[in-house]
């Protein structure tokens, strides 16, 4: 999958404990014009997100679930889940192709939360917003 650097949540991020993606999206303050790094996804029909396990997971019984979460603070101190938890496979190259509805994101920032399980789990993940997954694409509503 080809990503734009601006659209990456994680770029080869090594996870050994539950945590958020390295990067997040700033949708901008409600009621203010767009500019700078603010992204306006509210006019899109869906937000396609690609999550890839770059190398085989290690540990005893490793598991990783991925959830999209939002918050009104970039420190993500009081998050709201805006998607179900999806299970990422443990083999190298396993992927998740998610379609997130923009209307579910009601706060300024959103990111991915990786919840790890098992004993001594380790995952290396690349994830980001992509232009298209199959037939679903990040197109403006008409």
């Amino acid at each position: 999958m080809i990503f734009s650097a601006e659209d990456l949540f994680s770029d080869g991020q090594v996870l050994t404990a539950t945590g958020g993606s390295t990067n997040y999206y700033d949708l901008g303050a409600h009621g203010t014009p767009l500019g700078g790094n603010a992204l306006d996804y509210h006019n899109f029909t869906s937000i396609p997100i690609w999550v890839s396990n770059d190398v085989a997971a290690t540990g005893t019984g490793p598991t990783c679930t991925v959830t999209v979460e939002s918050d009104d603070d970039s420190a993500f101190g009081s998050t709201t889940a805006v998607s179900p938890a999806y299970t990422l496979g443990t083999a190298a190259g396993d992927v998740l192709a998610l379609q997130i509805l923009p209307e579910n994101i009601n706060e300024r920032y959103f990111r991915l939360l990786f919840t790890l399980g098992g004993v001594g789990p380790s995952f290396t993940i690349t994830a980001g917003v992509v232009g298209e997954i199959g037939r679903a694409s990040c197109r403006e509503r008409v």
Side-chain angles (χ1 to χ4, degrees), residues 5-132:
E6 293 176 339
D7 293 330
L8 283 172
F9 286 108
S10 301
D11 187 8
Q13 181 178 355
V14 176
L15 295 161
T16 56
T18 295
S21 55
T22 305
N23 302 313
Y24 57 85
Y25 275 80
D26 179 354
L27 297 175
H30 289 289
T32 59
L34 290 175
N37 293 327
L39 301 172
D40 184 10
Y41 280 111
H42 289 98
N43 287 328
F44 294 117
T45 56
S46 67
I47 303 170
I49 298 173
W50 186 267
V51 182
S52 173
N53 187 18
D54 297 343
V55 298
T58 59
T60 304
T63 61
C64 177
T65 59
V66 181
T67 308
V68 179
E69 62 181 6
S70 66
D71 201 334
D72 58 357
D73 176 13
S74 64
F76 291 89
S78 59
T79 62
T80 302
V82 296
S83 78
Y86 299 97
T87 301
L88 179 63
T90 59
D94 281 350
V95 299
L96 289 173
L98 313 177
Q99 295 290 329
I100 305 304
L101 300 175
E103 53 265 27
N104 291 344
I105 302 172
N106 294 314
E107 297 178 281
R108 180 172 177 168
Y109 304 97
F110 74 101
R111 70 174 183 181
L112 302 180
L113 174 67
F114 305 105
T115 304
L116 302 189
V119 177
S122 179
F123 285 80
T124 302
I125 294 177
T126 297
V129 172
V130 294
E132 192 168 323

